[in-house]
Amino acid sequence: MTATAPPVSETPLSQGYDAATRNDPEFNELFEHRFTTVDDLQMHYVVGGSGPQPIVLLHGFPETWYAYRPILADLLPGHTVIAIDLPGFGDSSGTVVSHDKATLARYVHGLLDKLGYTSNIQLVAHDAGGAVAYALVAQWREQFSALFMMDFPVTGGELTYEQVKPLSYHFSFHSQEPLFEQLVAGRERLYLEYFYRANSPGVEEPVPPHAVDEYTRAYSRPGVMHHGSRLYQAWPQDEEDNRRFMAQPLKIPVHYVAQARLFEGLFSGIRSAAPHATGAPIESGHWMLHEAPDRVLHEIKAFFGYQD
């Protein structure tokens, strides 16, 4: 619940933040862009609704808050919806002191505290946002009431980074600094389109062109692709931190969904963190918020107890 009035939104440092929404009537009726600085980093987030239940949405790589646009309005009943650009990503601007997920989680925690959300938060996360989400609920357990995660390997317990790396070329390639950034610079759309297809085998267009437009804009901003590379470089530290967090298993409800072909292997990592977690495979590629939004929405609403 909100204990105090939220801070007034700051003047954005990113001038293109509304490129994908300025001509979107539904968005502009129901949501707004806001900016708040946390530890010298101006964080961008989208807010809609005034319901008593806060629900916070974290995106993955290479995505932004816009990954949730297909289901954003449907999450409003009874809720205040907050979709955040992770530190260093999208239209969040400033210096990120470290890319280990425990540190990235600290920025998100600080933002939610500033907004007055100190308890009973429902948390949803996709891809690398899931790594931040786990670090978030593991460090500030009193702040969250439930966690919904999508298609990300939580390592540190039964699942290890060495087991995960063979699943895709990018786990190694994205950590090659500065080679990854040098090769992709100026070719962001070309690479993103390839990357989306590579992680949804057999799907010609897993992310629609309008979303690729927005992600290309965001990941062409200075430093954003660099932050993406650093996400992967920090995985060994994340695994060590997760191992420490797992010594105290999560007690809040946790639900995990993943593409069917990888579900069993990935779910074992979640069970190491939350032994009573529930889960379900989804017939989709990795970009399920774009590929199977209705199924994802059904799982979210069922888990959090939305009333139709």
Side-chain angles (χ1 to χ4, degrees):
M1 59 186 297
T2 304
T4 59
V8 175
S9 181
E10 302 165 1
T11 301
L13 296 176
S14 174
Q15 300 307 307
Y17 68 90
D18 64 345
T21 60
R22 62 174 66 114
N23 296 318
D24 182 339
E26 181 188 61
F27 176 90
N28 290 305
E29 179 182 355
L30 300 175
F31 297 93
E32 63 178 299
H33 297 272
R34 293 183 186 172
F35 297 83
T36 298
T37 294
V38 178
D39 295 336
D40 299 321
L41 179 81
Q42 188 184 72
M43 295 192 65
H44 169 241
Y45 52 103
V46 163
V47 179
S50 58
Q53 174 64 61
I55 184 167
V56 171
L57 315 175
L58 303 180
H59 65 84
F61 175 87
E63 300 170 316
T64 67
W65 75 269
Y66 196 70
Y68 289 95
R69 183 64 189 94
I71 66 171
L72 210 58
D74 295 294
L75 295 175
L76 285 172
H79 287 67
T80 296
V81 179
I82 307 165
I84 297 173
D85 273 343
L86 291 175
F89 292 88
D91 291 286
S92 293
S93 302
T95 301
V96 178
V97 297
S98 176
H99 293 78
D100 66 87
K101 308 315 172 289
T103 297
L104 297 185
R106 190 156 62 242
Y107 289 99
V108 178
H109 165 71
L111 173 64
L112 295 174
D113 261 9
K114 279 196 170 187
L115 298 182
Y117 297 104
T118 57
S119 64
N120 195 39
I121 297 171
Q122 295 173 342
L123 185 60
V124 178
H126 178 240
D127 186 73
V132 178
Y134 175 56
L136 194 56
V137 300
Q139 293 178 99
W140 293 280
R141 296 172 186 242
E142 73 288 346
Q143 196 168 21
F144 301 92
S145 59
L147 171 62
F148 182 99
M149 291 181 64
M150 290 175 275
D151 217 43
F152 186 79
V154 174
T155 64
E158 185 173 338
L159 193 63
T160 69
Y161 186 34
E162 290 303 314
Q163 291 172 306
V164 169
K165 279 200 294 187
L167 293 178
S168 175
Y169 77 94
H170 76 277
F171 291 119
S172 296
F173 177 50
H174 288 177
S175 65
Q176 301 301 311
E177 186 187 17
L179 180 63
F180 165 68
E181 295 173 56
Q182 291 173 337
L183 290 175
V184 174
R187 306 177 182 89
E188 288 84 3
R189 189 184 187 98
L190 176 68
Y191 184 68
L192 292 178
E193 288 179 332
Y194 171 81
F195 185 61
Y196 297 138
R197 290 193 301 270
N199 282 275
S200 285
V203 182
E204 178 60 29
E205 194 175 84
V207 177
H210 67 86
V212 178
D213 289 344
E214 174 61 5
Y215 297 147
T216 300
R217 179 198 66 80
Y219 280 86
S220 299
R221 294 186 65 222
V224 176
M225 199 65 83
H226 170 74
H227 293 304
S229 177
R230 289 296 180 93
L231 283 179
Y232 295 88
Q233 293 177 34
W235 268 37
Q237 180 63 51
D238 297 337
E239 187 163 313
E240 183 177 326
D241 290 337
N242 288 349
R243 192 172 296 113
R244 175 169 50 86
F245 296 148
M246 288 175 184
Q248 186 179 353
L250 296 180
K251 295 181 180 179
I252 61 172
V254 176
H255 188 64
Y256 184 80
V257 300
Q259 49 187 311
R261 68 189 182 95
L262 298 176
F263 176 78
E264 291 299 331
L266 298 184
F267 190 47
S268 65
I270 300 299
R271 294 297 293 269
S272 295
H276 302 294
T278 58
I282 289 183
E283 293 298 333
S284 171
H286 179 62
W287 315 104
M288 52 187 60
L289 285 159
H290 291 295
E291 296 178 61
D294 291 342
R295 176 63 195 280
V296 170
L297 182 65
H298 170 78
E299 292 285 338
I300 290 174
K301 286 191 166 187
F303 176 58
F304 290 126
Y306 272 74
Q307 299 299 315
D308 291 329

